[in-house]
Amino acid sequence: MPRPSTPRPKKPRPDFPLYAHANGNWCKTYQGRKFYFGPWDDPKSAEARFQLWEKAGRPPEVPEHTNVAFQKKGAKSPHRRKGFPLWAHPNGQWAKKIQGKVHYFGSWDNPDQALEEYHTLLRRLHNPIEEGAPLTLRDMVDLFLGAKKLMVPTEMAKRTWEYYKLTSEQLVRILGEGYRVDKMTPNDFAHLRAELAKGVAPITLFSRMGQVRAIFNWATKTELIRAPRYGTSFDKPSRTILRKHRNRKPRKRFTAEQIRLMLDATKQPLHAMILLGINCALGNKDCAELSFKHLDLEGGRFVFPRGKTGVARWGPLWPETVKAIRTSLDSRPKPKEDKYRNRIFITKYGHSWGAGPKHDDPIAKEMRKLCRGLGIYQTGVGFYSLRHTFVTIGRKTADIEAVKFIAGHAEDANDMSAYYDEDDFDKEQVDVQRLHTVTNYVHDWLFPPVEDTTTVDQHTEECPSPGDDAKSQEEERPS
């Protein structure tokens, strides 16, 4: 059965009586009902069924020998027996959603054949080599995505899997679903790189190429294919190119005046999120997933392992941050789903502030709207830039380790000094004073302490200026 994502085929000839339906079948609409006569890859059989059906006078009920699936408005779907893995689709076929796509397996009146086609598809997806067929690009990416999805969420973040899926679809779109993986040459990889680079920044191309290599390397390790021949034209953009591109873009940081302006203009809960971003270096996802267990408002600190690296981190909370969180909790909406009941921040609709399946980030949207309203918006400078700003200002204390601890940065794999360092700073016995020094420095940068000018004013009143003293002496001098 063709995949619904496959481009619809053209009619074999201009007078062909059927049209290609999106569900993978040749179709005919009659009296408001859709009749299906067979899969795309067998137009002759579909036309033969159609001719039998037409000779019978196009009856409202389909003869059993034609085996035609049909959809009748208001028709009741057949009863599904216990343990049957397929469900009755309104188009008259048994269906199953596999790896994010709906597959169809035949008409309602033949569930046994539909079940057999379903198991055949599963065998092709999970073990295509046993059947002796050459491994296609679609088979490889489906196997890869299926294997990686088993690692979500214990070993892999769901968003990482979604990025793999997007790259896989790009790979299939560029080279084609039926492209044989064992026939790929360095020229194919060069063409793939050129297509992936269209309209994207070097850092995006760097990421996509890394994901493509991960797919092929996984297939090599699982012995689905031999080691691919990438050639010299499939190299990632160099670090020099990445640095040059970054230097042409605006710096991802805010000034103290801009942050104060945002805090004065925004309402809860974004007000509290901005303070958490500059106080604790929390990003969009951190704020969306922040729970009550991560905060100690009485003690004035947060304990929140970073999801991206798994590195333990905690740090002090400013009094302004604690006050803002308490204010936000006073007006916190009731969550619609039970899994969000422990989240600190809930949208006014009762949902999570986390990014959706299409990477639709509510926090980024609200921050963009705020910055544009204040006239300080720059492309690429958003909520996550608060984290960049914290690290940039905090490093001026020269205590890089304390900054990295609060931000949850992992040590570079090539930095052997991290393995030789036996200090307890990266464990629970943290020098708290060093963390306070960093956060206090950032706090004073954002909220400069007001200098006491009382003594200076009194001194100015009591001590005359040199000009006044000379004038008074001149008046006292006799003429």
Side-chain angles (χ1 to χ4, degrees):
M1 179 71 64
R3 297 174 180 273
S5 60
T6 305
R8 300 189 193 186
K10 296 181 180 179
K11 292 185 177 183
R13 60 180 190 277
D15 60 340
F16 191 72
L18 310 175
Y19 69 90
H21 194 275
N23 66 8
N25 285 273
W26 292 105
C27 181
K28 185 71 174 180
T29 302
Y30 177 68
Q31 294 182 351
R33 292 158 54 186
K34 291 183 175 62
F35 294 79
Y36 304 92
F37 298 89
W40 291 345
D41 55 2
D42 194 4
K44 291 184 179 180
S45 300
E47 186 177 13
R49 294 193 184 98
F50 168 75
Q51 291 172 353
L52 287 173
W53 174 77
E54 196 172 34
K55 286 180 181 179
R58 297 183 178 180
E61 298 298 334
V62 182
E64 295 182 2
H65 65 273
T66 59
N67 193 26
V68 178
F70 67 95
Q71 177 189 18
K72 184 178 180 181
K73 188 174 182 180
K76 186 177 180 181
S77 59
H79 178 70
R80 184 174 65 172
R81 63 176 182 263
K82 187 177 181 180
F84 192 69
L86 310 178
W87 52 275
H89 194 277
N91 67 6
Q93 297 190 83
W94 294 105
K96 180 73 173 180
K97 193 171 186 179
I98 302 174
Q99 296 179 354
K101 295 182 180 179
V102 178
H103 297 261
Y104 302 92
F105 301 98
S107 60
W108 288 348
D109 58 354
N110 200 341
D112 294 332
Q113 183 180 352
L115 185 62
E116 184 179 350
E117 290 185 15
Y118 166 70
H119 288 300
T120 300
L121 177 61
L122 288 185
R123 286 194 299 269
R124 185 177 65 83
L125 290 177
H126 295 287
N127 202 356
I129 296 181
E130 285 188 0
E131 297 182 359
L135 184 68
T136 64
L137 196 59
R138 168 58 71 181
D139 290 331
M140 184 181 71
V141 298
D142 283 348
L143 288 170
F144 171 80
L145 293 175
K148 293 300 180 182
K149 197 164 188 177
L150 297 176
M151 303 170 64
V152 178
T154 55
E155 301 176 60
M156 177 182 291
K158 184 179 179 181
R159 191 165 185 175
T160 302
W161 184 87
E162 290 173 351
Y163 279 124
Y164 276 130
K165 184 177 180 181
L166 289 175
T167 303
S168 299
E169 293 302 325
Q170 286 182 317
L171 186 61
V172 170
R173 177 182 55 82
I174 294 171
L175 297 178
E177 286 193 346
Y179 197 90
R180 289 180 56 176
V181 182
D182 59 338
K183 297 293 184 181
M184 292 193 68
T185 64
N187 290 334
D188 295 322
F189 283 105
H191 169 68
L192 177 61
R193 188 187 191 280
E195 291 294 322
L196 291 175
K198 287 184 178 179
V200 299
I203 187 62
T204 305
L205 176 61
F206 187 93
S207 176
R208 289 180 179 177
M209 291 182 65
Q211 292 166 0
V212 170
R213 285 178 176 268
I215 296 172
F216 280 92
N217 291 344
W218 174 88
T220 303
K221 291 180 180 179
T222 53
E223 299 183 355
L224 291 175
I225 62 173
R226 294 182 179 180
R229 296 176 295 162
Y230 294 119
T232 58
S233 300
F234 199 68
D235 294 336
K236 295 180 181 179
S238 64
R239 296 289 180 180
T240 302
I241 294 177
L242 296 179
R243 283 194 297 268
K244 289 181 178 179
H245 175 74
R246 185 187 178 200
N247 291 334
R248 290 194 296 266
K249 297 174 62 178
R251 294 296 182 186
K252 293 185 177 181
R253 65 188 182 198
F254 293 103
T255 64
E257 292 76 15
Q258 289 174 332
I259 298 176
R260 290 196 296 268
L261 191 63
M262 289 188 289
L263 290 174
D264 292 338
T266 189
K267 299 179 181 179
Q268 299 292 357
L270 188 60
H271 182 92
M273 293 181 187
I274 293 174
L275 283 170
L276 285 168
I278 190 61
N279 179 181
C280 315
L282 297 190
N284 308 48
K285 187 178 179 182
D286 296 329
C287 289
E289 297 182 352
L290 191 67
S291 300
F292 292 99
K293 65 180 180 180
H294 298 138
L295 297 178
D296 179 10
L297 298 181
E298 296 296 333
R301 74 171 191 170
F302 77 99
V303 181
F304 192 6
R306 192 180 179 202
K308 181 178 179 179
T309 59
V311 176
R313 60 176 175 177
W314 70 266
L317 294 174
W318 300 336
E320 295 88 347
T321 308
V322 173
K323 181 180 177 181
I325 294 174
R326 292 187 187 277
T327 304
S328 177
L329 290 176
D330 291 339
S331 57
R332 174 178 176 266
K334 184 178 180 181
K336 288 289 183 66
E337 300 182 51
D338 188 63
K339 61 181 179 180
Y340 300 138
R341 60 187 177 88
N342 290 323
R343 297 284 177 88
I344 296 294
F345 302 117
I346 299 295
T347 67
K348 62 181 180 180
Y349 303 106
H351 300 301
S352 168
W353 281 89
K358 295 184 179 180
H359 310 293
D360 184 19
D361 193 337
I363 297 178
K365 278 187 172 182
E366 291 297 320
M367 190 70 171
R368 190 182 307 117
K369 188 190 305 181
L370 173 64
C371 292
R372 283 176 174 167
L374 297 174
I376 60 174
Y377 175 74
Q378 296 184 79
T379 303
V381 182
F383 186 88
Y384 204 79
S385 301
L386 293 168
R387 177 177 169 84
H388 289 236
T389 306
F390 171 85
V391 174
T392 302
I393 303 303
R395 287 170 68 94
K396 294 182 180 180
T397 62
D399 196 343
I400 309 300
E401 294 297 327
V403 174
K404 290 171 67 175
F405 184 86
I406 296 175
H409 284 159
E411 298 290 349
D412 190 349
N414 297 324
D415 185 8
M416 294 306 298
S417 63
Y419 294 92
Y420 295 149
D421 187 3
E422 299 296 337
D423 191 11
D424 286 335
F425 187 83
D426 60 340
K427 301 175 185 177
E428 295 184 358
Q429 299 177 4
V430 182
D431 189 345
V432 180
Q433 185 57 42
R434 293 171 64 181
L435 303 183
H436 277 281
T437 300
V438 172
T439 54
N440 289 342
Y441 185 88
V442 179
H443 179 274
D444 293 343
W445 168 82
L446 180 59
F447 305 109
V450 180
E451 296 183 0
D452 187 5
T453 58
T454 305
T455 306
V456 178
D457 294 341
Q458 291 177 354
H459 181 73
T460 304
E461 293 176 1
E462 294 175 359
C463 301
S465 63
D468 294 339
D469 186 55
K471 183 177 180 181
S472 61
Q473 291 180 4
E474 185 177 355
E475 292 175 352
E476 293 176 1
R477 186 180 304 137
S479 58

